[in-house]
Amino acid sequence: MPRAKNDPVVHTVTSASTSSTDDQDQRVRRYLTMMGIRVACFGLVFVTSGWVRWTAVVAAVFIPYVAVVLANAVSPRQPGSIQSVVPRDDTQRLER
């Protein structure tokens, strides 16, 4: 349906990418989760023995590197497409 020249143009934002604040919040949560796992690994060092202890030591050493790399990995921005929408005529609904 063609649009008249004086009709307003309304754009949708459903295809917009996530905000940078949401992306940063997700990265902080991921970092804190990995640091929590690291603290658990330190706890395992004192209560276990054998290969479990050494696995916990190795994990406690390498988890900070992985956590920082993942926390600094910003997700690439997806270009959003803007699509025009024909506004509905709500005058009948408003008159009720």
Side-chain angles (χ1 to χ4, degrees):
M1 176 173 141
R3 162 176 95 76
K5 290 192 183 255
N6 58 355
D7 285 346
V9 176
V10 180
H11 297 283
T12 62
V13 293
T14 56
S15 62
S17 60
T18 59
S19 68
S20 60
T21 305
D22 291 340
D23 182 44
Q24 184 179 12
D25 289 344
Q26 181 183 17
R27 290 185 286 132
V28 167
R29 279 192 304 274
R30 188 181 315 139
Y31 178 81
L32 291 176
T33 301
M34 293 189 80
M35 288 299 108
I37 294 170
R38 182 180 188 217
V39 168
C41 287
F42 277 124
L44 286 175
V45 168
F46 296 109
V47 296
T48 60
S49 63
W51 66 272
V52 176
R53 174 183 280 175
W54 292 109
T55 304
V57 168
V58 170
V61 169
F62 287 111
I63 283 178
Y65 173 76
V66 174
V68 168
V69 168
L70 291 177
N72 289 331
V74 179
S75 63
R77 291 276 177 199
Q78 299 294 331
S81 63
I82 298 177
Q83 303 164 351
S84 63
V85 177
V86 179
R88 294 184 301 184
D89 185 20
D90 288 341
T91 55
Q92 293 174 352
R93 185 176 59 95
L94 294 173
E95 290 174 353
R96 287 189 224 172

